[in-house]
Amino acid sequence: MAQKEKPMAMKERLLVEATRLFARHGFEGTSLQVIADAVGIQKASLLYHYSSKQALREAVLDGLLEHWKDTLPKALMAATSGENRIDSLMAEVFVFFREDRDRARLLMREILDAPELMQERVTIHLTPWVRLLTDGIRLGQREGRIQALVDPEAYIAALCISIVGSFAAGEVAGGLLGVSESPVERGVMELLRMAKSSLLVQGACAPSSEQEHPAEKQQE
Amino acid sequence: MAQKEKPMAMKERLLVEATRLFARHGFEGTSLQVIADAVGIQKASLLYHYSSKQALREAVLDGLLEHWKDTLPKALMAATSGENRIDSLMAEVFVFFREDRDRARLLMREILDAPELMQERVTIHLTPWVRLLTDGIRLGQREGRIQALVDPEAYIAALCISIVGSFAAGEVAGGLLGVSESPVERGVMELLRMAKSSLLVQGACAPSSEQEHPAEKQQE
DNA sequence: CCTACCGATCGGTAGG
DNA sequence: CCTACCGATCGGTAGG
């Protein structure tokens, strides 16, 4: 059966424009009128496609998160070792947000607007995959390839937040980078370097599995 | 001359409540009515103290950024070496945002709402101090104490954004940390570990100043 | 710091 | 997908 083309196109166009506008000006800062104007229909017509502003918001957010349902499993299962899996994760997250920085902006806004709700979503959908990564890190730690002081769950969490934050807000700090052509990407590249450098044991000069006495733990 | 106490108190109370509400619900998501209600006065009375909603917004943001005008110079000048200065910076930023996470939320929202304006502010006020830090990093690199691959400006920028992002959004990823008591702080602590570990040359086994051929540069 | 009030815009509905 | 319309709330003003 041939799908009706124009109606589908209109609903999709509304979703795209809403995503862009919510990301740039926030949910409360974007009226249904300006979304309707952006696609060239009346506000009341928008409400035929999405029955309320809240419904549109959820469709926008779903459209963002849905991407990971396939991508994340594929990327993580393709890689074998813990280090490779983290590389895969970083690569996927990097590509996804670089493709359209509005994704990072929107995600950050949603987290700020409804933290507990977003936490629930993240916990439910991501926990098993994060487990895969942290298991790999712990294995790497036992085998001496990964730094002993790494806190696996916190490492993954901090890394993801930092990447999203850098894409969402990087241009601001980019003012400090001088006249760099792409300050955001340069910031994220440095972030990825930091992530790798602070994960792997690099100065493995001696084959000893031991490294650095854990002297300066401050909270016992 | 004794300052009038009650009027000052009211203007201050409005500023505090506005900061909290703007941080939690955003500028567009917070009406003057709810701010007035929060301090127990009429909306029209609020507009006596701050002549417009925009004026209140600027007062809130100024209150946030003003803090650094004294703190940053003091913290950075007290420390001598580049590494110490970065430690000082991280410590100050950490304490400031941990003291009240709404500060991080507000800052992130302002960056999202008006990136170019915030970039201008940051560039003007922070550039000289960032210069101090990057000079220290470059010196450390020449002397072999700091990793050669570190991009000084990008490192500072990425670090600051990551800390703000972690305090603003950390609880969400904190759902992945299990039943940790303070997920945000744990995430930030890991971030600081990452920052240090990816800055300093740790496995300095040989006194040679050389380290790792810079092989995998991907964008020439 | 209050009462009273303003035009504009908000999200949403009725009916076709 | 449109016209016409709704009550509620928005930021802001007048005047005291």
Side-chain angles (χ1 to χ4, degrees):
Chain A
M1 261 187 265
Q3 291 176 325
K4 293 169 241 163
E5 202 193 349
K6 280 288 178 188
M8 252 324 209
M10 180 52 77
K11 192 163 186 179
E12 183 67 21
R13 280 173 60 201
L14 283 166
L15 198 73
V16 170
E17 282 305 317
T19 301
R20 205 190 104 248
L21 290 163
F22 286 163
R24 297 284 231 269
H25 311 294
F27 178 75
E28 309 278 0
T30 307
S31 67
L32 294 180
Q33 188 66 63
V34 312
I35 299 173
D37 288 350
V39 302
I41 63 174
Q42 294 301 312
K43 184 182 67 172
S45 308
L46 186 160
L47 288 161
Y48 159 77
H49 295 288
Y50 297 96
S51 57
S52 72
K53 197 187 182 188
Q54 186 60 33
L56 180 55
R57 175 185 214 160
E58 279 157 25
V60 164
L61 187 56
D62 284 342
L64 237 196
L65 300 182
E66 189 189 16
H67 171 270
W68 295 102
K69 274 208 167 147
D70 312 310
T71 306
L72 202 61
K74 206 182 300 181
L76 294 188
M77 296 309 290
T80 49
S81 74
E83 289 89 326
N84 286 346
R85 273 200 263 267
I86 291 174
D87 280 350
S88 294
L89 176 74
M90 289 197 301
E92 290 294 337
V93 174
F94 176 81
V95 167
F96 180 69
F97 289 111
R98 189 186 56 171
E99 212 167 271
D100 183 1
R101 288 187 49 209
D102 281 340
R103 292 167 172 172
R105 290 187 252 255
L106 188 87
L107 203 59
M108 191 60 79
R109 283 192 190 273
E110 289 295 327
I111 291 173
L112 289 168
D113 284 351
E116 63 298 326
L117 201 144
M118 287 298 287
Q119 177 175 354
E120 198 181 0
R121 285 188 95 131
V122 164
T123 305
I124 292 174
H125 293 102
L126 262 52
T127 295
W129 305 110
V130 170
R131 185 63 195 276
L132 207 66
L133 291 161
T134 53
D135 282 351
I137 293 177
R138 278 187 234 276
L139 178 65
Q141 285 176 318
R142 259 177 270 125
E143 296 178 356
R145 301 190 313 276
I146 290 182
Q147 297 183 28
L149 291 177
V150 171
D151 176 344
E153 286 85 6
Y155 175 87
I156 300 297
L159 180 56
C160 290
I161 287 182
S162 295
I163 296 178
V164 174
S166 289
F167 274 112
E171 69 207 304
V172 170
L176 306 171
L177 303 186
V179 284
S180 184
E181 345 71 274
S182 52
V184 174
E185 288 192 35
R186 193 171 141 207
V188 178
M189 291 305 293
E190 174 65 14
L191 190 65
L192 296 186
R193 186 203 63 79
M194 293 168 66
K196 267 192 183 174
S197 170
S198 61
L199 181 73
L200 303 175
V201 173
Q202 299 186 338
C205 310
S208 155
S209 67
E210 207 124 14
Q211 64 175 94
E212 293 171 38
H213 46 98
E216 53 169 3
K217 270 193 147 168
Q218 72 182 60
Q219 277 187 338
E220 174 59 1
Chain B
M1 262 191 262
Q3 293 177 322
K4 292 171 241 162
E5 203 193 350
K6 281 287 178 186
M8 254 320 208
M10 179 53 75
K11 194 163 185 179
E12 183 67 20
R13 280 173 61 201
L14 282 167
L15 198 73
V16 170
E17 283 304 318
T19 302
R20 207 190 103 248
L21 289 164
F22 285 163
R24 298 283 232 267
H25 311 294
F27 179 74
E28 309 278 0
T30 307
S31 68
L32 294 180
Q33 188 65 65
V34 313
I35 300 173
D37 288 351
V39 302
I41 64 173
Q42 294 300 311
K43 184 182 64 173
S45 308
L46 186 160
L47 287 161
Y48 160 77
H49 294 287
Y50 296 96
S51 58
S52 72
K53 198 187 181 186
Q54 187 60 33
L56 180 54
R57 175 184 213 157
E58 280 156 25
V60 164
L61 187 56
D62 285 341
L64 236 196
L65 300 181
E66 188 190 15
H67 171 270
W68 295 102
K69 276 208 165 144
D70 312 310
T71 306
L72 203 60
K74 205 181 300 180
L76 294 187
M77 296 310 289
T80 51
S81 75
E83 290 91 323
N84 287 346
R85 273 200 263 268
I86 291 175
D87 280 350
S88 293
L89 175 74
M90 290 197 300
E92 290 295 335
V93 174
F94 177 80
V95 167
F96 180 69
F97 289 110
R98 190 185 57 170
E99 211 167 272
D100 181 2
R101 289 187 48 209
D102 281 339
R103 292 168 172 171
R105 290 188 251 256
L106 188 87
L107 202 60
M108 191 60 77
R109 283 192 189 273
E110 289 296 326
I111 291 173
L112 289 167
D113 284 350
E116 62 297 328
L117 201 144
M118 287 298 286
Q119 178 176 351
E120 199 182 358
R121 283 189 96 130
V122 163
T123 305
I124 293 174
H125 293 102
L126 262 51
T127 294
W129 304 110
V130 170
R131 184 64 194 276
L132 206 67
L133 291 161
T134 54
D135 281 351
I137 293 178
R138 280 186 233 277
L139 179 64
Q141 286 177 319
R142 259 177 271 125
E143 295 179 357
R145 299 190 314 274
I146 290 182
Q147 298 183 28
L149 291 176
V150 171
D151 176 343
E153 286 84 7
Y155 175 87
I156 300 297
L159 180 56
C160 289
I161 287 183
S162 295
I163 297 179
V164 175
S166 290
F167 274 113
E171 68 207 306
V172 170
L176 306 172
L177 303 185
V179 284
S180 185
E181 2 36 296
S182 51
V184 174
E185 287 190 38
R186 194 172 138 205
V188 178
M189 289 308 291
E190 175 65 14
L191 190 66
L192 296 186
R193 186 202 63 78
M194 293 167 66
K196 266 193 183 174
S197 170
S198 61
L199 180 75
L200 303 175
V201 173
Q202 299 186 337
C205 310
S208 156
S209 67
E210 205 124 17
Q211 63 176 95
E212 292 170 37
H213 47 99
E216 53 169 3
K217 270 192 148 170
Q218 72 180 60
Q219 277 187 339
E220 174 59 2

